[in-house]
Amino acid sequence: MEVRIGDNTGMMNIGIPSIVVKMLRHKFDQQWSVRKTQSSEDEQARVLRLTRGSRIQLDSRLSGPTMT
């Protein structure tokens, strides 16, 4: 992951032991299996209301072949 602090930019690697990743995956799998497949209109409106005022800055770079 690239990290930028002020004018300084650098790469940061995060190491996570595989046993932790497996444990987290198992926990997420359990949560998703009990979650409803469809959310109600009230739930959708609540999420929209909570996130509407959010601001995010996104930088994206695509590398590879170019298309005309």
Side-chain angles (χ1 to χ4, degrees):
M1 123 176 24
E2 184 179 85
V3 178
R4 182 176 300 159
I5 300 176
D7 293 334
N8 298 316
T9 303
M11 296 298 294
M12 180 190 324
N13 295 316
I14 299 176
I16 303 173
S18 63
I19 189 71
V20 173
V21 174
K22 289 176 186 175
M23 186 175 59
L24 289 172
R25 181 178 173 219
H26 181 68
K27 187 171 180 86
F28 285 126
D29 286 346
Q30 286 177 342
Q31 288 177 355
W32 283 109
S33 66
V34 296
R35 181 157 171 80
K36 297 182 290 187
T37 56
Q38 292 291 328
S39 58
S40 70
E41 288 184 26
D42 288 340
E43 290 171 328
Q44 291 176 14
R46 179 178 174 267
V47 169
L48 183 60
R49 187 178 70 249
L50 291 171
T51 58
R52 180 169 281 155
S54 301
R55 302 184 107 209
I56 185 169
Q57 179 180 343
L58 177 66
D59 250 346
S60 174
R61 291 181 191 93
L62 301 175
S63 60
T66 58
M67 295 175 56
T68 58

